[in-house]
Amino acid sequence: MVKVLIITYYWPPAGGPGVQRWLKFVKYFRDFDIEPIVYVPENPTYPLEDTSLLSETPEGIEVLKQPIFEPYRFAQVFSKKETKTISKGIIAGAAKQSFMQRLLLYIRGNFFIPDARKFWVKPSVRYLEKYLSENKIDTIITTGPPHSVHLIGKELKQQTGLRWFADFRDPWTTIGYHDKLKLTKRSMQKHISMEKEVLSTADHIVVTSFTTQKEFKAITNTPVSVVTNGYDRESIPETILDTKFTLSHIGSLLSGRNPENLWKALYDLTKENEAFSEAFQLQLVGAVSDDVLSSIREAGLSDFLELKGYVPHIDAIKIQRSSQVLLLIEIDSKDTRCIIPGKLFEYMVSKRPIIALGPAGADVSKLIFDTNSGCFFEYHEYEKIKTQILEYFVQFQKGTLASHVIGVEKYSRRELTRSISGLLKEVIIRK
């Protein structure tokens, strides 16, 4: 049995997508002769919590915990609302940022490099170095963001000589929000230097998208593999479809995820088509920025809007399967072409058609096309968006609206665990 030490910041009861990737790998590792030991913070400040995920931790898994110093706790003294908003990643556009938000972003970007969890690095290295000297571990795994977790892996590899496997759920210096952190040239250079050092020191890099793989291969000679996010076969009772023509978005809608042409198309359809107006509902599940809410209301959609807020993951799955159409919205920037959110794969197996919006050349567009799970549009394609929504509405009226996906089995969490297990064993053999 191969033993691996997984170092992660996000772990149940943390909610949101960051926790699910390695929770699911841990869930299936034993099927592939891998015994995981998980190292997490003892007292983290999670922006979202989902206690339902606690039940998914496999029985008997060893979970190590050590305290973490969280600067966000002290920042809340000055502005609890702004601190919580930033920690969720909901950052308003520059013109709408308050003085306090601008100040907090500047401090976050330039005083906490690579991120606000940097103070967990040194105590974790001390604790884990002792643990590793007393226990036989075959490979160290780190998963970020927060990318400070990778610094723990780098130090442990250099001190112990163990193989180190670095997993990037998101890119580092090319992530979409980096330009909002008000980084000085010196701070940006420090990020670039840290990123290169991590990529060059690790024995294997895993990323979730093909664009990030290409970017990293231009920086390092370390092998870089793609293991996407995926879906689990949830045990959910049969779900009844909504009687309304619901378009649902699951997950956070950040300020940059604001496709005004989508809102305009929906409003125009309510004015041009009485049946559409009577049946339509826009359902947003998760945190939504004020910018996005303002755009939706200014577009004239207030009467059709239902805000659900954050819900437990199992409830999100139920909403996906009962909705008529699912929305996938990414920031319209070349920096987000690499983002393949985990919910995409859950969307695929919900059997509901997807309308996705994002930048040209997005990795998401290829996956949606290859699996026949919906349609992808760029933000400016007003007429195409409107036409597709109307086409789905006509199918809804006829009772024939559904998606007919193909080739999604390889994205099941168990099959993805098989893939990453194979990579881990290759890394160990190379030793």
Side-chain angles (χ1 to χ4, degrees), residues 228-266:
T228 67
N229 290 310
Y231 68 91
D232 215 351
R233 290 183 169 86
E234 312 281 356
S235 297
I236 294 176
E238 192 67 30
T239 306
I240 300 173
L241 278 173
D242 294 341
T243 55
K244 302 279 285 184
F245 182 61
T246 47
L247 272 67
S248 297
H249 180 275
I250 315 294
S252 299
L253 270 180
L254 312 181
S255 296
R257 293 177 184 159
N258 193 10
E260 293 180 355
N261 276 324
L262 171 62
W263 314 139
K264 175 175 167 38
L266 290 168

Side-chain angles (χ1 to χ4, degrees), residues 302-318:
S302 295
D303 291 342
F304 307 96
L305 178 63
E306 182 175 1
L307 296 172
K308 291 248 180 214
Y310 182 80
V311 301
H313 181 243
I314 195 70
D315 292 338
I317 297 293
K318 292 176 183 177

Side-chain angles (χ1 to χ4, degrees), residues 109-262:
N110 296 286
F111 289 84
F112 301 108
I113 299 175
D115 49 64
R117 278 83 191 200
K118 60 179 284 187
F119 300 103
W120 199 42
V121 176
K122 286 184 179 179
S124 294
V125 170
R126 285 195 299 269
Y127 173 80
L128 291 174
E129 187 180 19
K130 183 175 186 296
Y131 178 86
L132 291 168
S133 69
E134 297 171 350
N135 297 271
K136 185 183 182 305
I137 299 293
D138 296 291
T139 300
I140 300 165
I141 300 169
T142 57
T143 178
H147 298 303
S148 53
V149 171
H150 295 311
L151 302 184
I152 300 173
K154 180 177 73 71
E155 291 296 322
L156 288 174
K157 175 180 170 55
Q158 291 172 336
Q159 292 185 26
T160 67
L162 283 170
R163 292 290 182 178
W164 169 35
F165 197 90
D167 173 68
F168 285 79
R169 302 188 311 277
D170 288 323
W172 188 329
T173 56
T174 58
I175 191 71
Y177 60 75
H178 241 232
D179 61 349
K180 294 183 179 179
L181 293 179
K182 308 186 186 305
L183 299 173
T184 64
K185 288 184 179 179
R186 183 179 179 184
S187 295
M188 188 62 207
Q189 189 53 51
K190 192 170 182 181
H191 273 286
I192 292 170
S193 177
M194 278 186 174
E195 177 187 52
K196 186 172 183 178
E197 191 174 355
V198 164
L199 294 178
S200 300
T201 307
D203 293 286
H204 203 101
I205 306 292
V206 173
V207 296
T208 57
S209 79
F210 306 101
T211 296
T212 304
Q213 181 188 44
K214 184 178 179 181
E215 289 175 354
F216 281 2
K217 281 188 171 182
I219 300 173
T220 181
N221 291 323
T222 302
V224 184
S225 301
V226 176
V227 179
T228 67
N229 290 310
Y231 68 91
D232 215 351
R233 290 183 169 86
E234 312 281 356
S235 297
I236 294 176
E238 192 67 30
T239 306
I240 300 173
L241 278 173
D242 294 341
T243 55
K244 302 279 285 184
F245 182 61
T246 47
L247 272 67
S248 297
H249 180 275
I250 315 294
S252 299
L253 270 180
L254 312 181
S255 296
R257 293 177 184 159
N258 193 10
E260 293 180 355
N261 276 324
L262 171 62

Side-chain angles (χ1 to χ4, degrees), residues 22-39:
W22 280 91
L23 175 61
K24 301 296 186 177
F25 286 147
V26 167
K27 179 178 178 179
Y28 293 110
F29 263 153
R30 286 170 169 169
D31 293 349
F32 303 99
D33 297 319
I34 292 179
E35 180 63 29
I37 296 95
V38 184
Y39 175 73

Side-chain angles (χ1 to χ4, degrees), residues 29 115 138 194 298 326 375 410 431:
F29 263 153
D115 49 64
D138 296 291
M194 278 186 174
E298 287 168 10
L326 296 170
C375 302
K410 62 184 176 182
K431 187 175 181 180

Side-chain angles (χ1 to χ4, degrees), residues 231-394:
Y231 68 91
D232 215 351
R233 290 183 169 86
E234 312 281 356
S235 297
I236 294 176
E238 192 67 30
T239 306
I240 300 173
L241 278 173
D242 294 341
T243 55
K244 302 279 285 184
F245 182 61
T246 47
L247 272 67
S248 297
H249 180 275
I250 315 294
S252 299
L253 270 180
L254 312 181
S255 296
R257 293 177 184 159
N258 193 10
E260 293 180 355
N261 276 324
L262 171 62
W263 314 139
K264 175 175 167 38
L266 290 168
Y267 174 75
D268 288 348
L269 284 168
T270 65
K271 290 302 177 185
E272 297 166 8
N273 189 315
E274 185 177 349
F276 185 92
S277 179
E278 291 176 355
F280 167 59
Q281 184 174 66
L282 176 62
Q283 186 170 233
L284 305 181
V285 182
V288 184
S289 76
D290 291 339
D291 286 358
V292 175
L293 282 176
S294 293
S295 290
I296 292 171
R297 286 166 177 154
E298 287 168 10
L301 296 175
S302 295
D303 291 342
F304 307 96
L305 178 63
E306 182 175 1
L307 296 172
K308 291 248 180 214
Y310 182 80
V311 301
H313 181 243
I314 195 70
D315 292 338
I317 297 293
K318 292 176 183 177
I319 292 170
Q320 287 170 22
R321 297 184 185 185
S322 63
S323 299
Q324 294 292 344
V325 177
L326 296 170
L327 296 174
L328 186 73
I329 302 170
E330 194 44 78
I331 297 170
D332 186 21
S333 165
K334 65 177 183 179
D335 291 338
T336 64
R337 290 177 300 182
C338 63
I339 302 298
I340 305 176
K343 67 187 170 195
L344 170 62
F345 304 97
E346 294 180 345
Y347 275 16
M348 287 176 178
V349 295
S350 69
K351 300 181 182 179
R352 308 315 306 153
I354 300 167
I355 291 179
L357 292 95
D363 289 348
V364 162
S365 63
K366 183 179 186 304
L367 284 169
I368 288 176
F369 177 80
D370 289 348
T371 56
N372 191 44
S373 54
C375 302
F376 178 90
F377 302 100
E378 295 175 43
Y379 272 50
H380 64 85
E381 296 183 300
Y382 165 80
E383 289 294 344
K384 290 183 178 179
I385 294 169
K386 183 180 175 185
T387 299
Q388 186 60 62
I389 294 171
L390 185 57
E391 183 178 322
Y392 282 154
F393 179 64
V394 171

